[in-house]
């Protein structure tokens, strides 16, 4: 929800929509839902099921509002571009490239593209009565929507007492007059239910392709043109390779190696006798870290995107009884490993139907070099931590730490989508990312790692996390800018199709900000306001190309003017209100 608001809805609306159309009320409504979830136990899910259900509903509402505003802003950009075609839009401040999916008219080879699916041209004729037209058109429209198409042209004529309708479907935008023609068709058919109707449906050919687009400016756009692929992805058996990254899956246990770093994504399932506040191991635990069966299949073979799907079957104990892990259930865990052209990391999506209770599932990543600390994102900064936790009389010092979007240790970085807990384990030899913690009680008593209750001892069945789960993360070995890694993995480039009726050039940007991380771009009183932070222990210079303005405090009160740039201290936060 925060990403949809901060990284898409707000910056796209501020930069691509006219200032007088700034959606202040809609954004205020979305943010109110997020802020209503800011109570400590609400944001941490330490609540009864009814409260958690309400929290999730508020987040869903905020995200849906944000997604709608982002779509509106992108449509505004499309209408403002001077040349027709497909455009790639970068919602982040840093210039970057990436892989996007496009719909291309016609079928056949496209330079530098990977065909994902295609539909050839076809024509069908239906003899109906006027009373059947409405249902027939509804069925056709559903079929077209499912294919990613719509009605793009309608022609009608009455010849020798037969109402002839020529309907064209495809992926291009509707031609002028289509809505009026459809309205007239529904009216004519509805009023003359026995009228003979001959419906001729012409389906235009198209294909959906994946392409790599490079050098899209920050907060900018670029028209897509077919081009040769510099380094294709090759899938072969258990491997994916894009020329700079090589992934190989072990058929023995389903782990993978990344440029030689082996044993990554080892799934370790153990018991959890804790509550929604704290993990607590059972008195007698059964830890399962090897599957009983492994199967690997190639589902996309490149050249733009390669995907291996790893199927692992486990026998997991089902629940904790009297401090002991008991029972046994078969569980299949499916992990999709995706490598894209031009990227230096592997995307992981792990899915399972969680049928077990009272357990903790973690993904282990052996580190390329033994670590004595970790670095993880927190609010507006990166925090460095050792291998032990402070603890105290009320909680044992367990070094499972929070991470907002990424954590780095020992030459490996994991970026994640909402998987907020990690631990450096094996005496600094591995990083463990928590995928699931499953418990059935709000607060327990006499737990192994916390002697006192944290709240009331009421059931919280929803915290067992039963049912389908889908968990996303990305892994990089070597040096990397973790903020760029998070953007590339979880803030995709956008695609719009422009009719070519505006004035904006086919390649440009709406705002240039360099020297710091951008956390917000909004409008206040008609002016652009940009918030930045320095995520390093060295001072930096923030440059906002071609703009003057004032640095303001968090209440909007002016502090000092700037022209083009301003200094920012280590770990500093600044808000710049632009005059022009």
């Amino acid at each position: 929800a925060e990403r949809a608001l901060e990284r898409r809805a707000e910056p796209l609306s501020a930069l691509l929509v006219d200032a007088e159309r700034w959606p202040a009320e809609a954004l205020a409504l979305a943010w109110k839902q997020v802020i209503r979830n800011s109570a400590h136990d609400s944001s941490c899910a330490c609540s009864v099921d009814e409260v958690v259900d309400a929290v999730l509903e508020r987040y869903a509402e905020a995200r849906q509002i944000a997604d709608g505003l982002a779509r509106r802003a992108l449509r505004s950009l499309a209408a403002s571009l001077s040349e027709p075609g497909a455009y790639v839009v970068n919602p982040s401040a840093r210039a970057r490239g990436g892989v996007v999916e496009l719909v291309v008219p016609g079928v056949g080879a496209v330079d530098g593209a990977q065909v994902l699916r295609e539909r050839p041209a076809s024509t069908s004729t239906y003899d109906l009565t006027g009373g059947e037209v409405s249902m027939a058109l509804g069925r056709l429209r559903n079929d077209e929507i499912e294919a990613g198409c719509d009605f793009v042209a309608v022609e009608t004529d009455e010849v020798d007492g037969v109402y002839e309708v020529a309907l064209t479907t495809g992926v291009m935008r509707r031609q002028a007059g289509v809505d009026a023609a459809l309205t007239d068709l529904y009216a004519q058919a509805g009023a003359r239910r026995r009228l003979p109707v001959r419906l001729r449906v012409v389906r235009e050919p198209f294909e959906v392709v994946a392409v790599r687009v490079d050098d899209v400016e920050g907060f900018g756009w670029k028209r897509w043109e077919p081009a040769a692929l510099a380094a294709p992805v090759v899938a072969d058996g258990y491997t994916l390779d894009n020329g700079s990254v090589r992934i190989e899956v072990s058929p023995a246990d389903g782990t993978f190696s990344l440029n030689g770093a082996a044993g990554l994504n080892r799934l370790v399932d153990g018991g959890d006798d804790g509550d929604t506040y704290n993990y607590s191991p059972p008195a007698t635990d059964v830890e399962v870290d090897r599957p009983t069966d492994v199967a690997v299949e190639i589902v996309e073979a490149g050249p733009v995107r390669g995907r291996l799907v790893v199927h692992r079957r486990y026998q997991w104990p089902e629940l904790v009884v009297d401090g002991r892990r008991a029972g046994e259930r078969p569980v299949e865990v499916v992990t999709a490993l995706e490598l894209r052209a031009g990227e230096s990391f592997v995307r992981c999506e792990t899915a399972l139907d969680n049928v077990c209770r009272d357990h903790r599932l973690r993904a282990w990543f052996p580190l390329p070099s033994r670590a004595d600390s970790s670095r993880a994102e927190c609010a507006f900064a990166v925090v460095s931590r050792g291998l032990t936790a402070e603890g105290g009389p009320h909680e044992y010092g367990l070094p499972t730490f929070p991470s907002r979007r990424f954590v780095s240790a020992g030459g490996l970085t994991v970026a994640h989508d909402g998987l907020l807990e990690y631990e450096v384990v094996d005496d600094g030899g591995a990083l463990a990312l928590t995928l699931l913690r499953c418990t059935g009680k709000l607060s327990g008593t006499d737990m192994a790692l916390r002697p006192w209750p944290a709240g009331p001892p009421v059931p919280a069945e929803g915290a067992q996390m039963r049912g389908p789960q889908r968990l996303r993360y990305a892994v990089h070995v070597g040096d990397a800018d973790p903020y760029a890694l998070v953007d590339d993995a979880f803030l995709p480039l956008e695609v719009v199709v422009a009719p070519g009726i505006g004035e904006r050039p086919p390649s440009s940007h709406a705002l240039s900000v360099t020297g710091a991380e951008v956390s917000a771009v909004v409008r206040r009183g008609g002016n652009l306001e940009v918030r930045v932070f320095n995520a390093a222990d060295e001072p930096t210079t923030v440059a906002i190309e071609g703009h003057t303005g004032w640095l303001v405090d968090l209440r909007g009160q002016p502090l000092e003017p700037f022209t083009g740039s301003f200094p920012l201290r280590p770990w500093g936060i600044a808000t710049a209100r632009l005059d022009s």
Side-chain angles (χ1 to χ4, degrees):
E2 289 178 352
R3 181 170 62 231
L5 283 165
E6 295 173 354
R7 308 304 307 282
R8 298 184 69 240
E10 288 185 334
L12 293 175
S13 296
L15 299 174
L16 303 179
V17 177
D18 293 339
E20 60 270 18
R21 296 178 61 214
W22 170 249
E25 292 183 0
L27 286 169
L29 176 61
W31 274 115
K32 181 179 286 188
Q33 297 299 71
V34 173
I35 292 167
R36 281 172 170 162
N37 288 342
S38 297
H40 174 81
D41 286 353
S42 294
S43 62
C44 295
C46 302
S47 305
V48 295
D49 292 346
E50 291 86 348
V51 172
V52 173
D53 290 344
V55 166
L56 293 176
E57 178 64 24
R58 293 187 198 109
Y59 281 138
E61 289 178 0
R63 189 185 71 249
Q64 288 163 3
I65 291 171
D67 288 344
L69 293 176
R71 286 193 298 270
R72 190 187 76 161
L74 292 167
R75 287 197 299 267
S76 179
L77 172 66
S80 72
L81 294 165
S82 59
E83 298 183 13
Y87 286 77
V88 178
V89 185
N90 181 4
S92 67
R94 57 176 49 84
R96 59 188 177 123
V99 171
V100 296
E101 293 185 10
L102 301 172
V103 179
V104 179
V107 294
V110 177
D111 199 18
Q114 175 179 333
V115 177
L116 304 178
R117 62 186 178 91
E118 61 182 16
R119 185 178 79 172
S122 66
T123 301
S124 303
T125 301
Y126 306 90
D127 289 319
L128 311 167
T129 64
E132 297 171 324
V133 166
S134 178
M135 292 296 294
L137 291 180
R139 188 164 53 247
L140 284 169
R141 169 156 279 164
N142 282 352
D143 291 343
E144 294 304 303
I145 289 174
E146 190 173 8
C149 300
D150 199 354
F151 300 159
V152 298
V154 182
E155 295 180 3
T156 61
D157 193 13
E158 192 165 351
V159 179
D160 297 332
V162 177
Y163 201 69
E164 295 189 350
V165 181
L167 179 66
T168 304
T169 74
V171 295
M172 60 184 288
R173 299 183 69 85
R174 286 188 178 189
Q175 297 177 3
V178 169
D179 289 332
L182 284 171
T183 299
D184 183 67
L185 174 58
Y186 279 117
Q188 292 284 350
R192 305 161 68 186
R193 299 185 62 82
R194 297 185 181 278
L195 175 70
V197 177
R198 176 158 296 160
L199 176 62
R200 184 171 179 265
V201 181
V202 178
R203 297 178 179 86
E204 294 180 337
F206 72 91
E207 56 190 10
V208 179
V209 299
V211 299
R212 168 84 192 181
V213 179
D214 290 310
D215 303 322
V216 186
E217 296 182 70
F219 296 132
W221 57 89
K222 179 180 182 180
R223 188 174 64 175
W224 169 73
E225 300 287 351
L229 195 61
V233 177
V234 177
D236 182 18
Y238 299 105
T239 66
L240 294 171
D241 196 318
N242 69 359
S244 60
V245 173
R246 180 177 176 83
I247 299 162
E248 185 167 0
V249 177
S250 166
D253 61 6
T255 63
F256 66 90
S257 65
L258 180 58
N259 285 357
L264 305 178
N265 204 42
R266 180 166 66 94
L267 300 183
V268 179
D269 185 75
D272 192 339
D273 197 20
D275 55 23
T276 62
Y277 292 90
N278 293 84
Y279 162 78
S280 186
T284 303
D285 199 4
V286 176
E287 201 168 71
V288 179
D289 66 351
R290 289 191 65 86
T292 60
D293 183 61
V294 177
V296 181
E297 60 175 327
I298 298 173
V299 296
E300 288 188 350
V304 176
R305 189 171 68 195
R307 294 180 79 234
L308 296 177
V309 174
V310 183
H311 300 263
R312 286 180 279 188
R313 292 186 178 274
Y314 295 88
Q315 293 289 331
W316 286 348
E318 186 176 14
L319 74 167
V320 174
V321 179
D322 296 328
R324 298 174 179 271
R325 212 168 175 208
E328 196 171 83
R329 292 289 294 271
V331 178
E332 181 179 22
V333 182
V334 180
T335 299
L337 303 176
E338 183 176 310
L339 182 62
R340 299 182 180 184
E343 292 188 342
S344 61
F345 59 91
V346 58
R347 301 163 187 268
C348 305
E349 183 174 275
T350 294
L352 70 151
D353 184 2
N354 182 41
V355 297
C356 297
R357 303 167 59 90
D358 305 324
H359 69 118
R360 179 178 65 173
L361 175 64
R362 302 201 289 185
W364 279 44
F365 301 92
L367 299 176
S369 59
R370 192 165 292 275
D372 57 9
S373 65
S374 63
R375 289 173 55 82
E377 186 191 22
C378 61
F380 300 101
V382 179
V383 62
S384 182
R385 301 184 176 104
L387 303 186
T388 59
E390 180 176 333
H394 302 295
E395 289 182 274
Y396 178 79
L398 192 67
T400 50
F401 294 119
S403 158
R404 182 169 182 255
R405 295 181 301 176
F406 61 78
V407 55
S408 301
L412 181 139
T413 298
V414 176
H416 55 78
D417 188 22
L419 303 173
L420 306 178
E421 180 185 274
Y422 76 91
E423 182 180 0
V424 178
V425 294
D426 191 26
D427 194 27
L431 177 71
L433 180 70
T434 302
L435 302 184
L436 290 175
R437 270 201 66 231
C438 304
T439 180
K441 49 197 172 187
L442 180 69
S443 175
T445 56
D446 298 323
M447 298 197 307
L449 304 179
R450 194 195 70 227
W452 307 107
V458 298
E461 183 62 26
Q464 292 288 5
M465 301 296 291
R466 302 289 290 271
Q469 306 294 333
R470 195 169 296 274
L471 314 153
R472 298 197 306 158
Y473 41 102
V475 185
H476 179 279
V477 170
D479 295 331
D481 177 353
Y483 287 97
L485 175 62
V486 165
D487 280 354
D488 288 342
F490 300 117
L491 185 67
L493 299 173
E494 310 273 1
V495 175
V496 299
V497 178
I501 58 175
E503 297 181 351
R504 278 180 163 145
S507 180
S508 188
H509 63 275
L511 182 69
S512 174
V513 184
T514 58
E517 295 299 321
V518 177
S519 70
V521 180
V522 299
R523 286 198 177 272
R524 305 243 188 250
N527 293 91
L528 280 177
E529 197 169 274
V530 181
R531 182 163 296 133
V532 296
F533 64 97
N534 180 8
D537 56 7
E538 296 290 335
T540 187
T541 298
V542 179
I544 305 181
E545 181 184 284
H547 289 278
T548 62
W550 283 80
L551 299 182
V552 301
D553 64 20
L554 292 179
R555 296 173 300 169
Q557 301 302 310
L559 298 174
E560 59 181 288
F562 73 91
T563 301
S565 64
F566 54 87
L568 189 59
R569 64 174 175 81
W571 312 115
I573 306 171
T575 304
R577 183 171 295 158
L578 310 186
D579 293 333
S580 59

